[in-house]
Amino acid sequence: MFESMDLKFLKSKLTETESLIFKSSQIHGLGGFAKADIPSGTRVIEYLGEKITKQESVRRCEAGNHYIFALNDREDLDGNVDWNPACFINHSCAPNCEVEWDGRHIWIVARRDIEAGEEITFNYGYDLVDYREYLCACGSADCVGYLVAEVFFDRVRKSQPHSQSPST
């Protein structure tokens, strides 16, 4: 799924935006990289997609679509479209960006100053349902090994056989 999206994106010749260039990532597949320094609080890129019902969202998720954002109680946004370069921004357990929903748009926003050339990342915020199926390769010192929301980090660390208590 991810590799075919990478190929589809490259064939579209949309390899950069005003503030990002998309190229091979050490984290996974393609990634978005800052073309210039980006100050904290800057809207880096909008996450675009097709608005779909919750019922359709469940169907697409069950079919392996990993690009869906929950919007509200009735609708979600499916970012698995050719015209959404933001779908190539990778997950990190120590992200430099966060997601901001303003009621109409999903923005990827810098949570700290980002240097030119740095890969743009955000935490995908997955829950604990089947989390062991979604391995993380972000490489950060704080990596928990899975694509889970930060609120679950301690719980996931405690469930790992190699985790140690703070007193050891």
Side-chain angles (χ1 to χ4, degrees):
M1 164 64 99
F2 290 106
E3 286 71 33
S4 64
M5 281 290 294
D6 292 353
L7 187 59
K8 182 168 52 169
F9 181 74
L10 289 173
K11 285 181 178 177
S12 75
K13 299 192 186 339
L14 179 61
T15 57
E16 62 183 275
T17 65
E18 185 176 316
S19 57
L20 302 178
I21 185 163
F22 294 88
K23 59 185 182 179
S24 182
S25 165
Q26 289 185 352
I27 296 173
H28 183 267
L30 290 177
F33 295 80
K35 289 169 71 173
D37 291 348
I38 300 173
S40 179
T42 301
R43 288 179 170 176
V44 177
I45 190 168
E46 183 178 0
Y47 194 91
L48 303 168
E50 173 189 4
K51 282 189 180 178
I52 57 175
T53 65
K54 289 290 185 186
Q55 182 178 4
E56 179 62 14
S57 179
V58 168
R59 188 191 72 72
R60 291 182 188 190
C61 285
E62 288 173 349
N65 185 339
H66 301 285
Y67 301 96
I68 296 178
F69 268 91
L71 296 178
N72 55 45
D73 293 339
R74 297 178 329 275
E75 294 179 308
D76 290 343
L77 187 79
D78 183 355
N80 188 11
V81 294
D82 292 351
W83 36 275
N84 180 27
C87 73
F88 294 105
I89 294 177
N90 284 309
H91 167 90
S92 176
C93 296
N96 53 22
C97 290
E98 59 193 1
V99 174
E100 180 182 286
W101 166 245
D102 69 7
R104 291 186 3 236
H105 304 276
I106 297 172
W107 294 100
I108 309 300
V109 178
R111 59 190 291 184
R112 63 168 174 77
D113 292 342
I114 299 169
E115 295 181 17
E118 189 175 344
E119 183 167 5
I120 303 302
T121 59
F122 70 94
N123 185 311
Y124 289 1
Y126 286 9
D127 59 25
L128 293 177
V129 176
D130 300 324
Y131 78 91
R132 292 182 195 273
E133 294 179 22
Y134 303 102
L135 298 176
C136 180
C138 73
S140 77
D142 294 326
C143 183
V144 295
Y146 300 96
L147 307 183
V148 296
E150 190 171 348
V151 69
F152 301 122
F153 282 10
D154 286 341
R155 194 164 168 191
V156 169
R157 283 187 181 113
K158 288 177 186 172
S159 71
Q160 301 307 307
H162 64 279
S163 66
Q164 298 177 354
S165 68
S167 61
T168 54

